[in-house]
């Protein structure tokens, strides 16, 4: 199973032997402890649950503490399920060693929040003329007729909250790994800001 939870540390550059420069994102990935195995007979589907980032017991509620204690794992802040079957068992540890340079992966995270934005920034609307006499610059224009249907349809692209939602970036490539420091270097950018939680899958 090629999947792991991590924390985004930031971006840097990696220089190749031929002098080429590659922009990479550095992730503090793992170690993740296997805390539960879901089976078709008991749960209706197969999955492996991973825990990441140890914390003090007082920072978690009693149901979560009981669940982690049952698996023999220390208190962890984040849990995630990886669908599918694998050879891992409860108590095993997943590290960055499951990935190799050149592996194709996809990374999921919560994108940066941009706040309340208009249609030009949020949906790339063209906007109106820039002249002073236009009286129409950054507005969305007509959003529906008055008499019929006399309402605005659901799904109409309007101003509103931008960002701060789950984003999955696929087609990324692993550049290198550092098992001693639990670091994973990925070519290009991944969703989220510095310190945000990310989920890496093969």
């Amino acid at each position: 199973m090629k999947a792991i939870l991590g924390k985004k540390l930031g971006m840097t550059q990696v220089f190749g032997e031929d002098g080429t420069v590659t922009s990479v994102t550095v992730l503090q990935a793992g170690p993740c402890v296997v805390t539960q195995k879901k089976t078709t007979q008991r749960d209706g589907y197969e999955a492996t649950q991973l825990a990441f980032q140890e914390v003090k017991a007082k920072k978690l509620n009693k149901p979560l503490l009981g669940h982690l204690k049952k698996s023999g794992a220390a208190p962890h802040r984040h849990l995630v399920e990886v669908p599918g079957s694998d050879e891992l068992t409860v108590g095993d540890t997943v590290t960055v060693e499951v990935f190799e340079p050149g592996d194709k992966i996809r990374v999921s995270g919560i994108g940066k929040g941009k706040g309340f934005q208009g249609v030009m920034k949020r949906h790339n609307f063209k906007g109106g003329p820039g002249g002073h006499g236009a009286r129409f610059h950054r507005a969305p224009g007509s959003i529906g007729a008055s008499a019929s249907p006399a309402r605005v349809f659901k799904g109409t692209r309007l101003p509103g909250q931008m960002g701060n939602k789950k984003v999955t970036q696929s087609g990324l490539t692993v550049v290198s790994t550092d098992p001693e420091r639990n670091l994973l270097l990925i070519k290009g950018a991944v969703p989220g800001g510095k310190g945000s939680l990310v989920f890496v899958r093969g």
Side-chain angles (χ1 to χ4, degrees):
M1 178 189 69
K2 291 191 174 183
I4 199 169
L5 278 167
K7 182 173 65 173
K8 182 176 177 180
L9 299 182
M11 294 193 70
T12 185
Q13 295 176 329
V14 173
F15 293 87
E17 296 181 356
D18 56 352
T20 57
V21 181
T22 304
S23 297
V24 297
T25 301
V26 183
L27 303 182
Q28 182 93 44
C32 294
V33 182
V34 178
T35 54
Q36 189 179 8
K37 294 286 291 185
K38 298 288 184 74
T39 60
T40 305
Q41 294 78 12
R42 186 180 69 244
D43 306 290
Y45 65 99
E46 293 185 341
T48 301
Q49 188 183 78
L50 301 178
F52 173 67
Q53 193 176 354
E54 285 194 31
V55 294
K56 295 180 180 179
K58 66 179 182 179
K59 292 180 181 275
L60 303 179
N61 57 31
K62 288 185 178 181
L64 185 54
L65 284 173
H67 172 68
L68 294 172
K69 185 177 180 180
K70 184 178 179 181
S71 65
H76 286 73
R77 184 180 297 277
H78 305 288
L79 296 177
V80 68
E81 283 189 3
V82 184
S85 60
D86 51 64
E87 299 178 355
L88 294 173
T89 58
V90 175
D92 288 349
T93 302
V94 179
T95 66
V96 293
E97 292 180 301
V98 298
F99 296 98
E100 297 178 358
D103 285 350
K104 292 294 183 180
I105 59 172
R106 48 184 173 158
V107 180
S108 300
I110 303 298
K112 291 182 178 179
K114 306 293 184 181
F116 191 98
Q117 299 297 334
V119 292
M120 290 184 66
K121 181 171 182 176
R122 191 183 186 206
H123 301 296
N124 298 314
F125 279 22
K126 181 180 177 181
H132 289 190
R135 308 178 74 174
F136 166 68
H137 303 293
R138 303 183 64 88
S142 175
I143 59 175
S146 58
S148 175
R151 64 188 179 89
V152 178
F153 287 115
K154 289 183 178 180
T156 302
R157 293 179 296 172
L158 296 172
Q161 166 69 31
M162 182 179 178
N164 195 33
K165 62 182 180 180
K166 183 179 179 180
V167 180
T168 299
Q169 181 69 41
S170 59
L172 299 174
T173 306
V174 176
V175 175
S176 65
T177 61
D178 187 348
E180 295 182 359
R181 296 186 291 175
N182 298 315
L183 297 181
L184 188 63
L185 274 64
I186 300 173
K187 181 179 180 181
V190 303
K194 292 181 181 179
S196 61
L197 181 73
V198 293
F199 180 36
V200 184
R201 288 167 288 176

